[in-house]
């Protein structure tokens, strides 16, 4: 069933996971004249949502989600924020339409890779005629462009680390495992897994403290969108915490994919990076040397 006319536009729903991104998307939507409905994921969404029409649903509760879409006349949906855990099978409440797809849909939800799961969820939401839009479509100012954001820029050794880490992150993404990698002295020392970027940087800091990484080599964190990823969900993002953790790990800087990555609270990120002496730059896999030479 396709939505038409006013129903096709409908209200905007923001499915809010953890972190700051849902708040930025909600604020950008309000600034653009939208009246978004916040659907906070139980035990995941951080902020309080007073001042917005909002509800809380459990992960995997598609029946409740569909009921909220109908109640509020939702035509467009943004999926934003992190999700720390998968639902148990007992928590999955499918609609009749999803039941017709069992066991494939629920098997994917419970055990598929992150990108596979997100693509399935997008298909299920759009199967009832609603349209999933990317966070960057609502808040385009969050997208990073090619080149340095702050005062510092990558040097020769940093550019080599960017190339090494970017190649590793791209391979990791093809496996639907993670989006980030750290290279120090031309050697990839950490790959992002289920723990996420901050915990990966904690591991790097621990390796350096234990003498496993030379204190004379600084290194770079690279975050890329997975090559096969639907950019309407789970774009790579950094914020002030990423800067602080990169500094704690002794890194020289952070490189993220231009046009396909988000910077949360850009002014604060640039200020924190400049204070720590770190560079933050956008890179492009379509340019020679990722656009950093």
């Amino acid at each position: 069933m396709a939505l038409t006319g006013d129903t096709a536009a409908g209200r905007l729903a923001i499915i809010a996971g953890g972190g700051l991104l849902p708040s930025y998307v909600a604020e950008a939507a309000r600034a653009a004249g939208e009246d978004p409905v916040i659907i906070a994921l139980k035990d995941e969404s951080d902020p309080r949502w007073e001042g917005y029409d909002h509800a809380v649903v459990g992960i995997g509760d598609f029946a409740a989600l569909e009921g909220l879409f109908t109640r509020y006349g939702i035509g467009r949906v943004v999926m934003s924020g992190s999700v720390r855990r998968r639902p148990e099978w007992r928590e999955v409440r499918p609609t009749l339409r999803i039941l017709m797809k069992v066991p494939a849909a629920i098997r994917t939800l419970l055990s598929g890779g992150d990108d596979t799961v997100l693509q399935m969820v997008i298909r299920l939401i759009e199967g009832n005629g609603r349209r999933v839009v990317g966070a960057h479509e609502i808040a385009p100012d969050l997208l990073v462009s090619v080149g340095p954001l702050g005062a510092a820029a990558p040097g020769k050794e940093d550019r080599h680390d960017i190339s090494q880490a970017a190649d590793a992150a791209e391979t990791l993404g093809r496996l639907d495992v993670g989006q980030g990698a750290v290279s120090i002295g031309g050697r990839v020392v950490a790959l992002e897994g289920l723990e996420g970027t901050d915990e990966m940087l904690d591991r790097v800091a621990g390796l350096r403290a234990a003498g496993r990484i030379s204190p004379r080599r600084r290194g770079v964190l690279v975050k890329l969108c997975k090559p096969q990823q639907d950019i309407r969900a789970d774009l790579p993002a950094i914020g002030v915490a990423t800067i602080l953790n990169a500094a704690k790990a002794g890194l020289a800087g952070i490189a993220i994919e231009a046009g396909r990555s988000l910077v949360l609270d850009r002014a604060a990120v640039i200020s924190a990076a400049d204070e720590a002496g770190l560079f933050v730059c956008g890179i492009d896999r379509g340019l020679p040397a990722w656009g950093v030479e």
Side-chain angles (χ1 to χ4, degrees):
M1 179 183 70
L3 296 178
T4 58
D6 292 338
T7 309
R11 287 182 73 180
L12 175 70
I14 299 172
I15 299 179
L20 297 175
L21 180 58
S23 294
Y24 285 103
V25 174
E27 290 167 7
R30 276 261 174 94
E34 299 265 13
D35 182 21
V37 177
I38 310 300
I39 301 176
L41 297 179
K42 184 179 179 182
D43 299 326
E44 298 287 350
S45 183
D46 298 330
R48 300 171 65 89
W49 293 107
E50 285 83 358
Y52 293 91
D53 286 337
H54 65 280
V56 177
V57 300
I59 297 175
D61 193 344
F62 289 99
L65 193 64
E66 184 60 36
L68 290 168
F69 288 165
T70 301
R71 173 184 171 187
Y72 287 108
I74 300 301
R76 293 159 299 137
V77 180
V78 176
M79 300 164 59
S80 65
S82 62
V83 175
R84 291 170 295 186
R85 69 175 189 90
R86 296 289 176 84
E88 301 292 336
W89 67 267
R90 299 176 185 83
E91 299 174 277
V92 178
R93 295 185 58 214
T95 63
L96 179 61
R97 184 172 57 84
I98 295 174
L99 279 172
M100 296 174 65
K101 298 179 182 294
V102 171
I106 292 178
R107 183 171 64 244
T108 299
L109 179 65
L110 297 177
S111 61
D114 287 348
D115 189 62
T116 303
V117 169
L118 288 170
Q119 290 182 17
M120 182 210 69
V121 172
I122 288 172
R123 289 196 300 271
L124 292 176
I125 291 173
E126 293 195 329
N128 270 359
R130 295 173 178 87
R131 184 165 63 94
V132 175
V133 298
H136 62 287
E137 297 178 66
I138 305 300
D141 290 347
L142 297 180
L143 281 172
V144 68
S145 56
V146 174
L149 272 66
K156 181 178 179 180
E157 185 173 321
D158 302 325
R159 292 194 294 270
H160 181 54
D161 277 325
I162 287 173
S163 178
Q164 294 294 96
D167 287 346
E170 187 165 23
T171 300
L172 191 69
R174 291 189 190 281
L175 296 173
D176 197 8
V177 174
Q179 298 173 322
V182 174
S183 174
I184 298 176
R187 173 190 176 200
V188 175
V189 300
L191 300 172
E192 183 186 52
L194 292 177
E195 80 279 20
T197 303
D198 289 340
E199 286 78 3
M200 176 180 64
L201 292 174
D202 282 343
R203 282 195 282 118
V204 175
L207 288 170
R208 201 181 289 277
R212 300 290 301 277
I213 297 172
S214 169
R216 296 187 299 274
R217 300 291 186 96
R218 297 191 67 189
V220 175
L221 162 68
V222 171
K223 295 195 71 171
L224 299 181
C225 200
K226 297 173 185 175
Q228 74 281 5
Q229 185 171 334
D230 189 319
I231 64 171
R232 291 174 293 175
D234 195 32
L235 287 182
I238 65 168
V240 172
T242 319
I243 302 298
L244 298 179
N245 285 317
K248 181 181 173 183
L251 301 185
I254 299 170
I256 53 178
E257 187 171 2
R260 287 155 59 94
S261 298
L262 309 175
V263 178
L264 309 182
D265 200 349
R266 183 178 300 243
V269 164
I270 293 172
S271 176
D274 287 349
E275 183 175 345
L278 270 66
F279 68 81
V280 178
C281 69
I283 59 175
D284 188 330
R285 72 180 80 210
L287 296 175
W290 296 86
V292 294
E293 286 189 352

